Amino acid sequence: HGTLGEVWDEEMSSSMLGKRLRKVVQNYQAMNKYGVPLQTRGGAGGGGGPKRSGPELLCQLKGRVGVTTLTPEHKPFSSLLWATLLPPRPLTSDLGPFKRCAVVSSAGSLKNSGLGKEIDSHDAVLRFNSAPTVGFVKDVGTKTTVRLINSQVMASDDHRFLSSSLYSAGILVAWDPAPYSSDLGEWYNKTDYPIFLQYQKYRRLHPQQPFYILHPRVEWQLWDTIQANMAEAIQRNPPSSGLLGTVLMMSVCEVVHVYEFLPSRRKTELCHYYQRFYDAACTLGAYHPLLYEKNLVKRMNQGPDRHIFTHGRVTLPGFNSFNC
Ligand code: C5P
């Protein structure tokens, strides 16, 4: 009671993982599905250089990552009939600005957290994929301003994306991993999951709900920033939804509280607060460079470690709240 235990170690590296996870990370590192060029590993100002401070990292992130979404003007969509389904303006022109925002990771450690009221006290709340509020209100709250969903959730039969009421609250933002250096045309013909088909179907069924598609450039700008600050080669796959959503909210909010991205004293191998499935990979990463994302977030955190320990809460300033 009242004692401060261990919180996320910002020097976490793959060597500190168990044998199984280490192997999975190595495999993804070698696979390079998205054709990430070798020279971005380490590189100028990168892994070899001096360690950046929290404020320096925040400035680098602000300078290098520009959150934007597809509009009907983007090629090749401009020549496709369904492009009129895309919002006329990018998300950041339509959303906010907000004062206090909450990003709710889907981590198992949210279970029995009692954080629902605190989360709902924010001006805007971002949730991920198929994370429910119904049945979990005490721990995660009820408010949903934005839901960030990946193309896998959109395409899978189990999630009933087109018909489930889970997705009907708030603004939807979808994303799908594109090849590292592709233009949008290349991606359009080579998505991981059929994001565009599902987008069109959803928009026709729910024409009143705002629905954006993240520009895939954002993922790789963010990936470059993570790799540039790590001494070792990270997985050559896009960052997790968790970090994408955090940066999205930093673009439209004064202050962002991220919940249970850095695990609290409730840390657990339970993957999601809403499912009975256990796997340490959910918290430490396998496909996503999640370990390294968490190292950076720990360094950028402006709140005390105590808040991580008790609330799993990290405090990050919005991009318009600091000068570089
Ligand atoms: O699993 P899903 O991607 O839907 O979860 C949303 C985000 O929450 C993840 O991308 C990850 O950043 C974060 N998360 C986590 N630890 C977990 C589960 C999710 O950090 N155990």
Side-chain angles (χ1 to χ4, degrees), residues 105-107 128-129 240-242 261 271-272 282-283 290 294:
S105 88
S106 304
F128 298 99
N129 296 317
S240 75
S241 301
F261 184 67
C271 184
H272 295 122
C282 297
T283 302
L290 189 57
K294 295 188 182 200

Side-chain angles (χ1 to χ4, degrees), residues 108-123:
S109 47
L110 275 160
K111 212 174 168 155
N112 301 318
S113 67
L115 285 168
K117 277 215 177 79
E118 171 170 332
I119 289 168
D120 277 345
S121 78
H122 291 80
D123 302 304

Side-chain angles (χ1 to χ4, degrees), residues 51-52 258 280 318:
K51 202 174 136 182
R52 285 183 182 83
V258 189

Side-chain angles (χ1 to χ4, degrees), residues 164-228:
S164 168
S165 62
L166 221 164
Y167 307 100
S168 59
I171 295 171
L172 294 175
V173 182
W175 73 282
D176 175 88
Y180 179 90
S181 53
S182 82
D183 52 42
L184 293 172
E186 200 185 313
W187 175 47
Y188 187 63
N189 294 310
K190 208 185 166 183
T191 58
D192 261 11
Y193 294 91
I195 181 173
F196 297 113
L197 207 66
Q198 292 299 92
Y199 178 82
Q200 291 168 60
K201 286 187 188 168
Y202 192 96
R203 287 282 295 135
R204 294 200 162 103
L205 286 166
H206 313 272
Q208 301 305 325
Q209 190 178 7
F211 194 170
Y212 297 80
I213 297 177
L214 196 68
H215 195 301
R217 192 199 314 146
V218 183
E219 301 148 30
W220 294 112
Q221 287 173 342
L222 195 49
W223 187 93
D224 284 337
T225 311
I226 304 167
Q227 181 61 87

Side-chain angles (χ1 to χ4, degrees), residues 10 12 33 133 145 182 185 202 237 253:
E10 64 179 59
M12 274 291 283
K33 178 176 179 188
T133 54
T145 314
S182 82
Y202 192 96
N237 296 322
C253 304

